Amino acid sequence: MAINVGDRIPEATLMKMTDKGPAPVKTGEFFKGRKVVVFALPGAFTPTCSNQHLPGFIKSSGDIKGKGVDEIVCLSVNDAFVMDAWGKQQGAGGDVTMLGDGNGDFTKALGLDFDGSGFGMGTRSLRYSMLVDDGVVKSLNKEPNPGEAKVSGAETMLQQLS
């Protein structure tokens, strides 16, 4: 069953690249007492993700954070090495935090996974964005068309934060 507005974020461990290598990020600790925008996508370096979704959030990061958001997270079922390389290639810098859900555990716990094995991709994340406030989902925007980043894009999130 998919997570809904009003639900608490499940406990899971994501991975973030640091100067010392990949480091665990415990969701319970990460979301506690903070307002975080999370947007997830099927895969790093894929066309819609690289041309629309991530660039939109990078471009709008100042406006989003100006609305009281503590952090913006890009999440994908990729490892921390891939997410780090993609973030550098896209210029995410300190604007968007790149987190990997390499085994898809968090994505599956959210109920927002899909089987991409027909495309050689295995289990992947649906395209979505959500606002999480102190570990509780306040808005959830699931993209109906995986080849677009409109419903789940930065502009939608900005409108919801106004």
Side-chain angles (χ1 to χ4, degrees):
M1 181 193 275
I3 196 161
N4 291 297
V5 171
D7 291 347
R8 184 159 288 286
I9 291 292
E11 289 290 333
T13 302
L14 303 170
M15 297 300 285
K16 176 182 179 180
M17 187 57 71
T18 69
D19 292 340
K20 297 177 183 177
V25 175
K26 304 280 188 188
T27 58
E29 297 168 17
F30 184 79
F31 290 104
K32 185 177 182 178
R34 306 172 72 220
K35 190 180 284 191
V36 180
V37 166
V38 177
F39 67 100
L41 33 83
F45 295 102
T46 57
T48 303
C49 305
S50 293
N51 297 330
Q52 295 176 35
H53 216 184
L54 178 54
F57 277 94
I58 292 170
K59 180 181 175 190
S60 298
S61 64
D63 293 334
I64 290 170
K65 289 178 181 177
K67 303 277 185 186
V69 170
D70 296 301
E71 195 159 355
I72 302 168
V73 169
C74 177
L75 178 74
S76 185
V77 181
N78 290 113
D79 61 61
F81 294 97
V82 169
M83 293 301 288
D84 183 58
W86 186 43
K88 287 176 180 171
Q89 186 260 345
Q90 289 282 316
D95 297 327
V96 174
T97 301
M98 308 298 285
L99 294 181
D101 183 20
N103 296 325
D105 296 336
F106 182 66
T107 299
K108 291 173 193 169
L110 292 174
L112 297 174
D113 58 309
F114 76 94
D115 181 4
S117 59
F119 301 100
M121 296 174 72
T123 300
R124 292 295 171 142
S125 175
L126 294 173
R127 186 181 306 281
Y128 67 88
S129 64
M130 65 179 166
L131 174 63
V132 181
D133 192 352
D134 195 22
V136 176
V137 178
K138 297 297 182 180
S139 68
L140 177 62
N141 311 299
K142 292 187 255 183
E143 195 68 55
N145 180 348
E148 294 181 343
K150 294 179 182 175
V151 171
S152 62
E155 289 300 318
T156 299
M157 186 56 64
L158 269 171
Q159 291 171 2
Q160 292 172 343
L161 290 166
S162 296

